[in-house]
PDB file of all heavy atoms in Angstrom:
ATOM      1  N   ILE A  22      14.813   0.268  -3.408  1.00 87.00           N
ATOM      2  CA  ILE A  22      13.576   1.037  -3.572  1.00 87.00           C
ATOM      3  C   ILE A  22      13.150   1.548  -2.205  1.00 87.00           C
ATOM      4  O   ILE A  22      13.174   0.809  -1.232  1.00 87.00           O
ATOM      5  CB  ILE A  22      12.455   0.184  -4.182  1.00 87.00           C
ATOM      6  CG1 ILE A  22      12.804  -0.307  -5.571  1.00 87.00           C
ATOM      7  CG2 ILE A  22      11.146   0.984  -4.257  1.00 87.00           C
ATOM      8  CD1 ILE A  22      11.785  -1.244  -6.182  1.00 87.00           C
ATOM      9  N   ALA A  23      12.781   2.814  -2.140  1.00 91.00           N
ATOM     10  CA  ALA A  23      12.204   3.389  -0.937  1.00 91.00           C
ATOM     11  C   ALA A  23      10.840   3.989  -1.264  1.00 91.00           C
ATOM     12  O   ALA A  23      10.465   4.064  -2.436  1.00 91.00           O
ATOM     13  CB  ALA A  23      13.131   4.469  -0.373  1.00 91.00           C
ATOM     14  N   PHE A  24      10.131   4.402  -0.231  1.00 93.00           N
ATOM     15  CA  PHE A  24       8.836   5.066  -0.400  1.00 93.00           C
ATOM     16  C   PHE A  24       8.959   6.444   0.225  1.00 93.00           C
ATOM     17  O   PHE A  24       9.140   6.566   1.443  1.00 93.00           O
ATOM     18  CB  PHE A  24       7.728   4.267   0.268  1.00 93.00           C
ATOM     19  CG  PHE A  24       7.515   2.889  -0.318  1.00 93.00           C
ATOM     20  CD1 PHE A  24       8.285   1.821   0.068  1.00 93.00           C
ATOM     21  CD2 PHE A  24       6.532   2.698  -1.294  1.00 93.00           C
ATOM     22  CE1 PHE A  24       8.094   0.560  -0.464  1.00 93.00           C
ATOM     23  CE2 PHE A  24       6.347   1.426  -1.832  1.00 93.00           C
ATOM     24  CZ  PHE A  24       7.130   0.373  -1.429  1.00 93.00           C
ATOM     25  N   ASP A  25       8.858   7.490  -0.597  1.00 94.00           N
ATOM     26  CA  ASP A  25       8.930   8.876  -0.111  1.00 94.00           C
ATOM     27  C   ASP A  25       7.542   9.476  -0.045  1.00 94.00           C
ATOM     28  O   ASP A  25       6.690   9.222  -0.899  1.00 94.00           O
ATOM     29  CB  ASP A  25       9.787   9.720  -1.067  1.00 94.00           C
ATOM     30  CG  ASP A  25      11.278   9.458  -0.860  1.00 94.00           C
ATOM     31  OD1 ASP A  25      11.643   8.804   0.134  1.00 94.00           O
ATOM     32  OD2 ASP A  25      12.083   9.914  -1.701  1.00 94.00           O
ATOM     33  N   ARG A  26       7.344  10.323   0.957  1.00 94.00           N
ATOM     34  CA  ARG A  26       6.044  10.963   1.118  1.00 94.00           C
ATOM     35  C   ARG A  26       5.753  11.873  -0.082  1.00 94.00           C
ATOM     36  O   ARG A  26       6.613  12.626  -0.542  1.00 94.00           O
ATOM     37  CB  ARG A  26       5.996  11.777   2.411  1.00 94.00           C
ATOM     38  CG  ARG A  26       4.595  12.191   2.811  1.00 94.00           C
ATOM     39  CD  ARG A  26       4.606  12.970   4.120  1.00 94.00           C
ATOM     40  NE  ARG A  26       4.868  12.128   5.278  1.00 94.00           N
ATOM     41  CZ  ARG A  26       3.918  11.487   5.960  1.00 94.00           C
ATOM     42  NH1 ARG A  26       2.653  11.574   5.564  1.00 94.00           N
ATOM     43  NH2 ARG A  26       4.235  10.788   7.026  1.00 94.00           N
ATOM     44  N   VAL A  27       4.544  11.809  -0.575  1.00 94.00           N
ATOM     45  CA  VAL A  27       4.122  12.593  -1.731  1.00 94.00           C
ATOM     46  C   VAL A  27       3.671  13.970  -1.261  1.00 94.00           C
ATOM     47  O   VAL A  27       2.930  14.078  -0.281  1.00 94.00           O
ATOM     48  CB  VAL A  27       2.967  11.891  -2.483  1.00 94.00           C
ATOM     49  CG1 VAL A  27       2.482  12.712  -3.653  1.00 94.00           C
ATOM     50  CG2 VAL A  27       3.401  10.505  -2.953  1.00 94.00           C
ATOM     51  N   PRO A  28       4.079  15.049  -1.940  1.00 93.00           N
ATOM     52  CA  PRO A  28       3.548  16.360  -1.568  1.00 93.00           C
ATOM     53  C   PRO A  28       2.031  16.397  -1.765  1.00 93.00           C
ATOM     54  O   PRO A  28       1.506  15.748  -2.663  1.00 93.00           O
ATOM     55  CB  PRO A  28       4.282  17.325  -2.508  1.00 93.00           C
ATOM     56  CG  PRO A  28       4.763  16.478  -3.644  1.00 93.00           C
ATOM     57  CD  PRO A  28       5.029  15.129  -3.066  1.00 93.00           C
ATOM     58  N   TRP A  29       1.368  17.185  -0.943  1.00 92.00           N
ATOM     59  CA  TRP A  29      -0.102  17.175  -0.945  1.00 92.00           C
ATOM     60  C   TRP A  29      -0.692  17.467  -2.320  1.00 92.00           C
ATOM     61  O   TRP A  29      -1.728  16.911  -2.689  1.00 92.00           O
ATOM     62  CB  TRP A  29      -0.624  18.197   0.065  1.00 92.00           C
ATOM     63  CG  TRP A  29      -0.363  19.633  -0.333  1.00 92.00           C
ATOM     64  CD1 TRP A  29       0.698  20.409  -0.005  1.00 92.00           C
ATOM     65  CD2 TRP A  29      -1.213  20.451  -1.157  1.00 92.00           C
ATOM     66  NE1 TRP A  29       0.604  21.647  -0.578  1.00 92.00           N
ATOM     67  CE2 TRP A  29      -0.571  21.702  -1.290  1.00 92.00           C
ATOM     68  CE3 TRP A  29      -2.437  20.252  -1.794  1.00 92.00           C
ATOM     69  CZ2 TRP A  29      -1.119  22.744  -2.038  1.00 92.00           C
ATOM     70  CZ3 TRP A  29      -2.976  21.282  -2.545  1.00 92.00           C
ATOM     71  CH2 TRP A  29      -2.326  22.528  -2.648  1.00 92.00           C
ATOM     72  N   TYR A  30      -0.010  18.330  -3.078  1.00 93.00           N
ATOM     73  CA  TYR A  30      -0.587  18.755  -4.349  1.00 93.00           C
ATOM     74  C   TYR A  30      -0.500  17.686  -5.435  1.00 93.00           C
ATOM     75  O   TYR A  30      -1.068  17.848  -6.522  1.00 93.00           O
ATOM     76  CB  TYR A  30       0.066  20.055  -4.821  1.00 93.00           C
ATOM     77  CG  TYR A  30       1.575  20.029  -4.861  1.00 93.00           C
ATOM     78  CD1 TYR A  30       2.265  19.553  -5.981  1.00 93.00           C
ATOM     79  CD2 TYR A  30       2.330  20.503  -3.799  1.00 93.00           C
ATOM     80  CE1 TYR A  30       3.625  19.522  -6.021  1.00 93.00           C
ATOM     81  CE2 TYR A  30       3.720  20.475  -3.826  1.00 93.00           C
ATOM     82  CZ  TYR A  30       4.365  20.001  -4.945  1.00 93.00           C
ATOM     83  OH  TYR A  30       5.737  19.975  -4.965  1.00 93.00           O
ATOM     84  N   LEU A  31       0.230  16.592  -5.174  1.00 94.00           N
ATOM     85  CA  LEU A  31       0.295  15.484  -6.131  1.00 94.00           C
ATOM     86  C   LEU A  31      -0.203  14.177  -5.517  1.00 94.00           C
ATOM     87  O   LEU A  31       0.036  13.104  -6.074  1.00 94.00           O
ATOM     88  CB  LEU A  31       1.732  15.300  -6.631  1.00 94.00           C
ATOM     89  CG  LEU A  31       2.301  16.420  -7.514  1.00 94.00           C
ATOM     90  CD1 LEU A  31       3.751  16.116  -7.887  1.00 94.00           C
ATOM     91  CD2 LEU A  31       1.462  16.612  -8.766  1.00 94.00           C
ATOM     92  N   SER A  32      -0.884  14.260  -4.413  1.00 93.00           N
ATOM     93  CA  SER A  32      -1.342  13.055  -3.721  1.00 93.00           C
ATOM     94  C   SER A  32      -2.568  12.468  -4.402  1.00 93.00           C
ATOM     95  O   SER A  32      -3.591  13.136  -4.567  1.00 93.00           O
ATOM     96  CB  SER A  32      -1.655  13.364  -2.262  1.00 93.00           C
ATOM     97  OG  SER A  32      -2.228  12.239  -1.626  1.00 93.00           O
ATOM     98  N   ALA A  33      -2.455  11.179  -4.739  1.00 93.00           N
ATOM     99  CA  ALA A  33      -3.596  10.487  -5.333  1.00 93.00           C
ATOM    100  C   ALA A  33      -4.723  10.299  -4.351  1.00 93.00           C
ATOM    101  O   ALA A  33      -5.853  10.003  -4.760  1.00 93.00           O
ATOM    102  CB  ALA A  33      -3.138   9.133  -5.867  1.00 93.00           C
ATOM    103  N   ALA A  34      -4.450  10.477  -3.054  1.00 92.00           N
ATOM    104  CA  ALA A  34      -5.505  10.307  -2.046  1.00 92.00           C
ATOM    105  C   ALA A  34      -6.682  11.218  -2.311  1.00 92.00           C
ATOM    106  O   ALA A  34      -7.838  10.864  -2.066  1.00 92.00           O
ATOM    107  CB  ALA A  34      -4.923  10.556  -0.651  1.00 92.00           C
ATOM    108  N   TRP A  35      -6.399  12.428  -2.825  1.00 93.00           N
ATOM    109  CA  TRP A  35      -7.510  13.342  -3.146  1.00 93.00           C
ATOM    110  C   TRP A  35      -7.634  13.582  -4.661  1.00 93.00           C
ATOM    111  O   TRP A  35      -8.735  13.825  -5.155  1.00 93.00           O
ATOM    112  CB  TRP A  35      -7.377  14.657  -2.398  1.00 93.00           C
ATOM    113  CG  TRP A  35      -6.281  15.570  -2.888  1.00 93.00           C
ATOM    114  CD1 TRP A  35      -4.985  15.577  -2.489  1.00 93.00           C
ATOM    115  CD2 TRP A  35      -6.391  16.616  -3.881  1.00 93.00           C
ATOM    116  NE1 TRP A  35      -4.259  16.548  -3.164  1.00 93.00           N
ATOM    117  CE2 TRP A  35      -5.112  17.209  -4.012  1.00 93.00           C
ATOM    118  CE3 TRP A  35      -7.440  17.101  -4.647  1.00 93.00           C
ATOM    119  CZ2 TRP A  35      -4.855  18.263  -4.882  1.00 93.00           C
ATOM    120  CZ3 TRP A  35      -7.194  18.157  -5.532  1.00 93.00           C
ATOM    121  CH2 TRP A  35      -5.916  18.727  -5.647  1.00 93.00           C
ATOM    122  N   LEU A  36      -6.518  13.479  -5.371  1.00 94.00           N
ATOM    123  CA  LEU A  36      -6.577  13.775  -6.793  1.00 94.00           C
ATOM    124  C   LEU A  36      -7.324  12.696  -7.586  1.00 94.00           C
ATOM    125  O   LEU A  36      -8.059  13.020  -8.536  1.00 94.00           O
ATOM    126  CB  LEU A  36      -5.165  13.938  -7.357  1.00 94.00           C
ATOM    127  CG  LEU A  36      -4.536  15.314  -7.206  1.00 94.00           C
ATOM    128  CD1 LEU A  36      -3.079  15.303  -7.669  1.00 94.00           C
ATOM    129  CD2 LEU A  36      -5.332  16.363  -7.970  1.00 94.00           C
ATOM    130  N   THR A  37      -7.151  11.431  -7.224  1.00 94.00           N
ATOM    131  CA  THR A  37      -7.849  10.371  -7.963  1.00 94.00           C
ATOM    132  C   THR A  37      -9.361  10.485  -7.816  1.00 94.00           C
ATOM    133  O   THR A  37     -10.081  10.480  -8.816  1.00 94.00           O
ATOM    134  CB  THR A  37      -7.354   8.988  -7.538  1.00 94.00           C
ATOM    135  OG1 THR A  37      -5.947   8.883  -7.858  1.00 94.00           O
ATOM    136  CG2 THR A  37      -8.098   7.894  -8.240  1.00 94.00           C
ATOM    137  N   PRO A  38      -9.913  10.575  -6.584  1.00 95.00           N
ATOM    138  CA  PRO A  38     -11.369  10.777  -6.508  1.00 95.00           C
ATOM    139  C   PRO A  38     -11.815  12.085  -7.122  1.00 95.00           C
ATOM    140  O   PRO A  38     -12.907  12.165  -7.690  1.00 95.00           O
ATOM    141  CB  PRO A  38     -11.666  10.730  -5.002  1.00 95.00           C
ATOM    142  CG  PRO A  38     -10.359  10.903  -4.311  1.00 95.00           C
ATOM    143  CD  PRO A  38      -9.316  10.393  -5.238  1.00 95.00           C
ATOM    144  N   ALA A  39     -10.980  13.145  -7.014  1.00 95.00           N
ATOM    145  CA  ALA A  39     -11.340  14.409  -7.633  1.00 95.00           C
ATOM    146  C   ALA A  39     -11.405  14.274  -9.156  1.00 95.00           C
ATOM    147  O   ALA A  39     -12.304  14.821  -9.817  1.00 95.00           O
ATOM    148  CB  ALA A  39     -10.343  15.494  -7.246  1.00 95.00           C
ATOM    149  N   MET A  40     -10.438  13.543  -9.731  1.00 95.00           N
ATOM    150  CA  MET A  40     -10.438  13.328 -11.173  1.00 95.00           C
ATOM    151  C   MET A  40     -11.652  12.515 -11.612  1.00 95.00           C
ATOM    152  O   MET A  40     -12.345  12.881 -12.594  1.00 95.00           O
ATOM    153  CB  MET A  40      -9.176  12.590 -11.607  1.00 95.00           C
ATOM    154  CG  MET A  40      -9.105  12.306 -13.094  1.00 95.00           C
ATOM    155  SD  MET A  40      -7.737  11.210 -13.553  1.00 95.00           S
ATOM    156  CE  MET A  40      -8.302   9.661 -12.847  1.00 95.00           C
ATOM    157  N   LEU A  41     -11.942  11.442 -10.887  1.00 95.00           N
ATOM    158  CA  LEU A  41     -13.086  10.609 -11.244  1.00 95.00           C
ATOM    159  C   LEU A  41     -14.393  11.387 -11.109  1.00 95.00           C
ATOM    160  O   LEU A  41     -15.279  11.297 -11.971  1.00 95.00           O
ATOM    161  CB  LEU A  41     -13.124   9.349 -10.373  1.00 95.00           C
ATOM    162  CG  LEU A  41     -11.956   8.377 -10.580  1.00 95.00           C
ATOM    163  CD1 LEU A  41     -12.032   7.251  -9.571  1.00 95.00           C
ATOM    164  CD2 LEU A  41     -11.938   7.835 -11.993  1.00 95.00           C
ATOM    165  N   GLY A  42     -14.496  12.162 -10.034  1.00 95.00           N
ATOM    166  CA  GLY A  42     -15.694  13.001  -9.870  1.00 95.00           C
ATOM    167  C   GLY A  42     -15.831  14.027 -10.974  1.00 95.00           C
ATOM    168  O   GLY A  42     -16.933  14.269 -11.480  1.00 95.00           O
ATOM    169  N   SER A  43     -14.684  14.620 -11.360  1.00 95.00           N
ATOM    170  CA  SER A  43     -14.720  15.620 -12.419  1.00 95.00           C
ATOM    171  C   SER A  43     -15.147  15.016 -13.748  1.00 95.00           C
ATOM    172  O   SER A  43     -15.921  15.609 -14.508  1.00 95.00           O
ATOM    173  CB  SER A  43     -13.328  16.270 -12.573  1.00 95.00           C
ATOM    174  OG  SER A  43     -12.978  16.945 -11.397  1.00 95.00           O
ATOM    175  N   LEU A  44     -14.638  13.825 -14.026  1.00 96.00           N
ATOM    176  CA  LEU A  44     -15.021  13.164 -15.283  1.00 96.00           C
ATOM    177  C   LEU A  44     -16.502  12.808 -15.305  1.00 96.00           C
ATOM    178  O   LEU A  44     -17.160  12.904 -16.355  1.00 96.00           O
ATOM    179  CB  LEU A  44     -14.166  11.905 -15.491  1.00 96.00           C
ATOM    180  CG  LEU A  44     -12.683  12.163 -15.809  1.00 96.00           C
ATOM    181  CD1 LEU A  44     -11.929  10.830 -15.882  1.00 96.00           C
ATOM    182  CD2 LEU A  44     -12.531  12.932 -17.114  1.00 96.00           C
ATOM    183  N   VAL A  45     -17.034  12.425 -14.141  1.00 95.00           N
ATOM    184  CA  VAL A  45     -18.484  12.154 -14.065  1.00 95.00           C
ATOM    185  C   VAL A  45     -19.280  13.414 -14.329  1.00 95.00           C
ATOM    186  O   VAL A  45     -20.261  13.417 -15.100  1.00 95.00           O
ATOM    187  CB  VAL A  45     -18.832  11.545 -12.682  1.00 95.00           C
ATOM    188  CG1 VAL A  45     -20.362  11.521 -12.509  1.00 95.00           C
ATOM    189  CG2 VAL A  45     -18.267  10.145 -12.537  1.00 95.00           C
ATOM    190  N   VAL A  46     -18.877  14.519 -13.717  1.00 94.00           N
ATOM    191  CA  VAL A  46     -19.563  15.798 -13.931  1.00 94.00           C
ATOM    192  C   VAL A  46     -19.520  16.185 -15.398  1.00 94.00           C
ATOM    193  O   VAL A  46     -20.539  16.589 -15.991  1.00 94.00           O
ATOM    194  CB  VAL A  46     -18.943  16.898 -13.049  1.00 94.00           C
ATOM    195  CG1 VAL A  46     -19.434  18.282 -13.472  1.00 94.00           C
ATOM    196  CG2 VAL A  46     -19.267  16.640 -11.573  1.00 94.00           C
ATOM    197  N   LEU A  47     -18.320  16.087 -15.989  1.00 95.00           N
ATOM    198  CA  LEU A  47     -18.176  16.476 -17.376  1.00 95.00           C
ATOM    199  C   LEU A  47     -18.939  15.549 -18.323  1.00 95.00           C
ATOM    200  O   LEU A  47     -19.541  16.008 -19.309  1.00 95.00           O
ATOM    201  CB  LEU A  47     -16.696  16.510 -17.767  1.00 95.00           C
ATOM    202  CG  LEU A  47     -15.847  17.566 -17.037  1.00 95.00           C
ATOM    203  CD1 LEU A  47     -14.369  17.369 -17.332  1.00 95.00           C
ATOM    204  CD2 LEU A  47     -16.292  18.983 -17.426  1.00 95.00           C
ATOM    205  N   LEU A  48     -18.948  14.254 -18.003  1.00 94.00           N
ATOM    206  CA  LEU A  48     -19.678  13.312 -18.838  1.00 94.00           C
ATOM    207  C   LEU A  48     -21.177  13.583 -18.779  1.00 94.00           C
ATOM    208  O   LEU A  48     -21.871  13.606 -19.823  1.00 94.00           O
ATOM    209  CB  LEU A  48     -19.386  11.882 -18.381  1.00 94.00           C
ATOM    210  CG  LEU A  48     -20.056  10.763 -19.174  1.00 94.00           C
ATOM    211  CD1 LEU A  48     -19.658  10.794 -20.647  1.00 94.00           C
ATOM    212  CD2 LEU A  48     -19.767   9.410 -18.560  1.00 94.00           C
ATOM    213  N   LEU A  49     -21.707  13.803 -17.569  1.00 93.00           N
ATOM    214  CA  LEU A  49     -23.138  14.121 -17.436  1.00 93.00           C
ATOM    215  C   LEU A  49     -23.462  15.425 -18.129  1.00 93.00           C
ATOM    216  O   LEU A  49     -24.552  15.543 -18.763  1.00 93.00           O
ATOM    217  CB  LEU A  49     -23.515  14.200 -15.949  1.00 93.00           C
ATOM    218  CG  LEU A  49     -23.465  12.877 -15.180  1.00 93.00           C
ATOM    219  CD1 LEU A  49     -23.744  13.136 -13.703  1.00 93.00           C
ATOM    220  CD2 LEU A  49     -24.471  11.875 -15.756  1.00 93.00           C
ATOM    221  N   THR A  50     -22.564  16.373 -18.047  1.00 91.00           N
ATOM    222  CA  THR A  50     -22.779  17.676 -18.731  1.00 91.00           C
ATOM    223  C   THR A  50     -22.857  17.468 -20.234  1.00 91.00           C
ATOM    224  O   THR A  50     -23.716  18.034 -20.927  1.00 91.00           O
ATOM    225  CB  THR A  50     -21.664  18.654 -18.377  1.00 91.00           C
ATOM    226  OG1 THR A  50     -21.636  18.865 -16.954  1.00 91.00           O
ATOM    227  CG2 THR A  50     -21.867  19.986 -19.084  1.00 91.00           C
ATOM    228  N   ALA A  51     -21.912  16.670 -20.763  1.00 90.00           N
ATOM    229  CA  ALA A  51     -21.891  16.443 -22.208  1.00 90.00           C
ATOM    230  C   ALA A  51     -23.132  15.678 -22.654  1.00 90.00           C
ATOM    231  O   ALA A  51     -23.705  15.983 -23.715  1.00 90.00           O
ATOM    232  CB  ALA A  51     -20.619  15.667 -22.559  1.00 90.00           C
ATOM    233  N   ILE A  52     -23.554  14.689 -21.861  1.00 89.00           N
ATOM    234  CA  ILE A  52     -24.737  13.902 -22.246  1.00 89.00           C
ATOM    235  C   ILE A  52     -26.004  14.739 -22.132  1.00 89.00           C
ATOM    236  O   ILE A  52     -26.927  14.627 -22.974  1.00 89.00           O
ATOM    237  CB  ILE A  52     -24.837  12.656 -21.346  1.00 89.00           C
ATOM    238  CG1 ILE A  52     -23.688  11.693 -21.633  1.00 89.00           C
ATOM    239  CG2 ILE A  52     -26.181  11.943 -21.525  1.00 89.00           C
ATOM    240  CD1 ILE A  52     -23.623  10.505 -20.703  1.00 89.00           C
ATOM    241  N   ALA A  53     -26.077  15.574 -21.103  1.00 82.00           N
ATOM    242  CA  ALA A  53     -27.290  16.388 -20.905  1.00 82.00           C
ATOM    243  C   ALA A  53     -27.541  17.369 -22.029  1.00 82.00           C
ATOM    244  O   ALA A  53     -28.688  17.744 -22.292  1.00 82.00           O
ATOM    245  CB  ALA A  53     -27.191  17.132 -19.567  1.00 82.00           C
ATOM    246  N   TRP A  54     -26.497  17.807 -22.696  1.00 75.00           N
ATOM    247  CA  TRP A  54     -26.654  18.793 -23.762  1.00 75.00           C
ATOM    248  C   TRP A  54     -27.532  18.255 -24.893  1.00 75.00           C
ATOM    249  O   TRP A  54     -28.583  18.837 -25.198  1.00 75.00           O
ATOM    250  CB  TRP A  54     -25.259  19.203 -24.252  1.00 75.00           C
ATOM    251  CG  TRP A  54     -25.257  20.284 -25.323  1.00 75.00           C
ATOM    252  CD1 TRP A  54     -26.257  21.158 -25.604  1.00 75.00           C
ATOM    253  CD2 TRP A  54     -24.214  20.544 -26.243  1.00 75.00           C
ATOM    254  NE1 TRP A  54     -25.887  21.979 -26.648  1.00 75.00           N
ATOM    255  CE2 TRP A  54     -24.624  21.613 -27.056  1.00 75.00           C
ATOM    256  CE3 TRP A  54     -22.944  20.005 -26.450  1.00 75.00           C
ATOM    257  CZ2 TRP A  54     -23.839  22.144 -28.078  1.00 75.00           C
ATOM    258  CZ3 TRP A  54     -22.143  20.533 -27.460  1.00 75.00           C
ATOM    259  CH2 TRP A  54     -22.589  21.581 -28.260  1.00 75.00           C
ATOM    260  N   PRO A  55     -27.181  17.131 -25.535  1.00 74.00           N
ATOM    261  CA  PRO A  55     -28.067  16.656 -26.622  1.00 74.00           C
ATOM    262  C   PRO A  55     -29.415  16.146 -26.089  1.00 74.00           C
ATOM    263  O   PRO A  55     -30.451  16.259 -26.773  1.00 74.00           O
ATOM    264  CB  PRO A  55     -27.271  15.516 -27.252  1.00 74.00           C
ATOM    265  CG  PRO A  55     -26.304  15.083 -26.222  1.00 74.00           C
ATOM    266  CD  PRO A  55     -25.964  16.318 -25.441  1.00 74.00           C
ATOM    267  N   VAL A  56     -29.428  15.579 -24.860  1.00 71.00           N
ATOM    268  CA  VAL A  56     -30.685  15.105 -24.304  1.00 71.00           C
ATOM    269  C   VAL A  56     -31.668  16.242 -24.095  1.00 71.00           C
ATOM    270  O   VAL A  56     -32.853  16.157 -24.463  1.00 71.00           O
ATOM    271  CB  VAL A  56     -30.450  14.347 -22.972  1.00 71.00           C
ATOM    272  CG1 VAL A  56     -31.765  14.064 -22.274  1.00 71.00           C
ATOM    273  CG2 VAL A  56     -29.679  13.045 -23.228  1.00 71.00           C
ATOM    274  N   SER A  57     -31.203  17.353 -23.511  1.00 71.00           N
ATOM    275  CA  SER A  57     -32.086  18.509 -23.304  1.00 71.00           C
ATOM    276  C   SER A  57     -32.512  19.135 -24.618  1.00 71.00           C
ATOM    277  O   SER A  57     -33.653  19.594 -24.763  1.00 71.00           O
ATOM    278  CB  SER A  57     -31.387  19.549 -22.424  1.00 71.00           C
ATOM    279  OG  SER A  57     -30.194  20.026 -23.041  1.00 71.00           O
ATOM    280  N   ALA A  58     -31.621  19.124 -25.617  1.00 66.00           N
ATOM    281  CA  ALA A  58     -31.969  19.661 -26.929  1.00 66.00           C
ATOM    282  C   ALA A  58     -33.086  18.838 -27.574  1.00 66.00           C
ATOM    283  O   ALA A  58     -34.043  19.387 -28.155  1.00 66.00           O
ATOM    284  CB  ALA A  58     -30.737  19.700 -27.817  1.00 66.00           C
TER     285      ALA A  58
END
C-alpha cells in the first residue's frame, strides 16, 4: 500500500467542509420555507 497525492479537485481537505457547509445551507433553506410560510 502506498499513499499518492490527491488532485486538488478531489481533495477532502476542502471538499468535506464544503459539502458539510452546503448541506447546512440547504437544510436551513428547506426548514425556513415552511417556517416562513
Side-chain angles (χ1 to χ4, degrees):
I22 298 175
F24 297 84
D25 283 348
R26 194 179 287 273
V27 178
W29 68 268
Y30 52 86
L31 292 178
S32 173
W35 72 272
L36 276 174
T37 298
M40 179 190 70
L41 295 174
S43 298
L44 290 176
V45 169
V46 168
L47 295 172
L48 181 61
L49 292 175
T50 300
I52 292 173
W54 182 21
V56 169
S57 61

